[in-house]
Amino acid sequence: QVQLVESGGGSVQTGGSLRLSCAASKTAWSRGWLVWYRQKSGTERDRVALKYGGGDNTYYADSVEGRFTVLVDNAKKTIILQMDGLKHEDTAMYYCASCKYFTSSESCGNGYWGQGTQVTVSS
């Protein structure tokens, strides 16, 4: 069974906005930490934003601070990434994840991954 499904990716110009959504199963939602990662071509997957479901603890990578906002809709079991002021370097495959904990390398522990949605920002 698919536990997380991303949508909302696409192609925009520099300075534009996109809103990504991730629908979670009940099982995935129960992990607690709701996270967005991204992977640029030829690089490792990096954590960009996270929020503990239903709580106030929210964190952002320095590269997206002030431009991205992670939101959680508990009723719909949906994780949202609002991306504003997009830059060319934001181009990547974006993945949502639900995690019980994080490793020292910020990888998702005892959790689930979505299949990803592509975001492309033109110069």
Side-chain angles (χ1 to χ4, degrees):
Q1 289 280 2
V2 176
Q3 302 293 343
L4 297 165
V5 180
E6 301 98 335
S7 63
S11 181
V12 299
Q13 297 185 21
T14 298
S17 298
L18 283 173
R19 187 179 180 90
L20 307 184
S21 295
C22 176
S25 69
K26 183 178 180 180
T27 298
W29 198 256
S30 69
R31 292 294 168 267
W33 288 102
L34 308 173
V35 196
W36 284 98
Y37 290 81
R38 69 184 181 188
Q39 185 171 22
K40 301 177 182 180
S41 181
T43 70
E44 296 293 321
R45 190 175 301 179
D46 295 320
R47 191 178 69 189
V48 298
L50 69 155
K51 185 179 181 67
Y52 196 83
D56 295 326
N57 293 324
T58 306
Y59 302 93
Y60 299 95
D62 290 342
S63 59
V64 306
E65 180 72 51
R67 299 187 297 115
F68 290 11
T69 304
V70 62
L71 303 169
V72 173
D73 187 332
N74 286 284
K76 297 181 179 179
K77 295 184 178 64
T78 299
I79 313 161
I80 297 169
L81 185 66
Q82 178 66 44
M83 304 184 293
D84 299 311
L86 284 164
K87 304 175 180 179
H88 182 258
E89 52 263 41
D90 295 319
T91 295
M93 183 72 75
Y94 284 74
Y95 300 87
C96 63
S98 62
C99 315
K100 193 171 184 179
Y101 61 89
F102 297 101
T103 69
S104 59
S105 60
E106 300 185 344
S107 295
C108 184
N110 193 19
Y112 299 92
W113 291 90
Q115 295 182 352
T117 185
Q118 179 67 41
V119 171
T120 301
V121 184
S122 62
S123 301

